[in-house]
């Protein structure tokens, strides 16, 4: 099914439910992993994914089709994940970076984390970055999104994104060198 057909079905009350099931099955995994990279913990990622799909379901009529459906959902998922992390940081009266560091230090004992030590080091390095750099790095490095797609999702110029990405890479390299 093409994206146009899917959108048409999503905007038609008669076919909305079946089209939405289709949408979830197509994008669930990609969105889950994107969210998981921000909130880190599996259960939290599941919760944020649910919230994302609820928002998508409620707002599908407002989707203007100026962007790809995936980019639009990705933006919602990103905002939901950031909101989640920010609320948790506020509740614990700490920074989002500290929250992420704490979760990452628990990763080694997390049943859902099957990465090796190098993977853990990379996660720790990413968690030291400011939020925007984390997002750009994750989207480019893990999700292999193009700069123009990231630009659409984060509402930031391609030039600024390239700069953010290069700074992020340098910081990560430095972190891994000094913590090896």
């Amino acid at each position: 099914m093409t994206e146009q057909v899917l959108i048409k079905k999503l905007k038609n009350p008669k076919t909305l439910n079946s089209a939405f099931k289709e949408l979830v099955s197509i994008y669930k995994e990609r969105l889950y992993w994107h969210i998981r990279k921000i909130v880190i913990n599996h259960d939290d990622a599941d919760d944020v994914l649910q919230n994302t799909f609820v928002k998508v379901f409620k707002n599908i009529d407002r989707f203007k089709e100026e962007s790809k459906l995936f980019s639009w959902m990705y933006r919602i998922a990103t905002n939901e994940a950031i909101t989640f992390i920010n609320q948790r940081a506020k509740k614990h009266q700490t920074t989002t970076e500290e929250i992420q560091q704490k979760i990452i230090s628990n990763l080694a004992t997390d049943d859902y984390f099957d990465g090796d030590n190098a993977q853990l080091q990379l996660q720790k390095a990413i968690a030291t970055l400011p939020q925007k750099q984390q997002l750009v790095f994750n989207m480019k490095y893990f999700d292999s999104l193009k700069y123009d797609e990231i630009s659409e999702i984060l509402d930031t110029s391609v030039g600024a994104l390239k700069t953010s990405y290069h700074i992020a890479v340098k910081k990560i390299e430095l972190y891994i060198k000094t913590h090896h």
Side-chain angles (χ1 to χ4, degrees):
M1 182 165 17
T2 67
E3 191 165 286
Q4 271 70 34
V5 174
L6 184 60
I7 293 166
K8 217 167 153 175
K9 288 187 171 177
L10 285 165
K11 292 196 170 188
N12 177 345
K14 285 193 182 80
T15 50
L16 169 64
N17 285 338
S18 62
F20 191 73
K21 274 197 189 97
E22 178 78 12
L23 179 86
V24 171
S25 74
I26 295 169
Y27 295 111
K28 186 171 75 183
E29 203 160 312
R30 281 170 80 187
L31 288 173
Y32 166 82
W33 285 109
H34 169 61
I35 292 165
R36 176 84 190 263
K37 281 182 218 84
I38 302 170
V39 301
I40 297 154
N41 174 290
H42 165 73
D43 293 330
D44 294 343
D46 255 1
D47 291 346
V48 173
L49 183 66
Q50 298 300 326
N51 296 347
T52 299
F53 279 122
V54 166
K55 278 239 163 92
V56 166
F57 189 82
K58 284 182 177 163
N59 295 300
I60 195 70
D61 286 339
R62 288 198 213 128
F63 174 58
K64 291 184 181 60
E65 294 174 57
E66 286 155 3
S67 65
K68 280 192 172 137
L69 186 59
F70 180 64
S71 302
W72 178 71
M73 288 172 27
Y74 217 97
R75 179 187 286 195
I76 293 173
T78 304
N79 291 337
E80 287 295 309
I82 289 170
T83 301
F84 179 88
I85 281 280
N86 291 347
Q87 282 171 345
R88 176 158 288 181
K90 209 183 209 163
K91 199 168 95 185
H92 295 284
Q93 297 176 325
T94 180
T95 65
T96 55
E97 286 81 16
E98 276 181 44
I99 287 281
Q100 284 180 313
Q101 290 286 3
K102 197 174 278 171
I103 300 169
I104 284 167
S105 57
N106 297 333
L107 260 189
T109 59
D110 181 342
D111 296 338
Y112 289 98
F113 183 73
D114 54 5
D116 54 15
N117 200 35
Q119 196 63 42
L120 201 57
Q121 283 299 92
L122 179 59
Q123 288 299 334
K124 284 181 178 172
I126 294 167
T128 63
L129 301 172
Q131 208 160 50
K132 190 79 162 235
Q133 285 173 20
Q134 281 189 28
L135 289 171
V136 176
F137 182 82
N138 284 337
M139 289 177 176
K140 187 100 192 81
Y141 182 84
F142 291 111
D143 302 342
S144 309
L145 293 182
K146 294 178 182 70
Y147 281 117
D148 53 347
E149 293 174 301
I150 301 171
S151 168
E152 207 172 86
I153 294 160
L154 296 181
D155 223 1
T156 307
S157 77
V158 168
L161 291 173
K162 284 183 177 171
T163 305
S164 275
Y165 183 73
H166 291 298
I167 294 170
V169 170
K170 289 261 181 300
K171 285 183 184 170
I172 287 169
E173 284 169 353
L174 184 68
Y175 179 93
I176 289 172
K177 260 188 212 130
T178 55
H179 289 78
H180 217 271

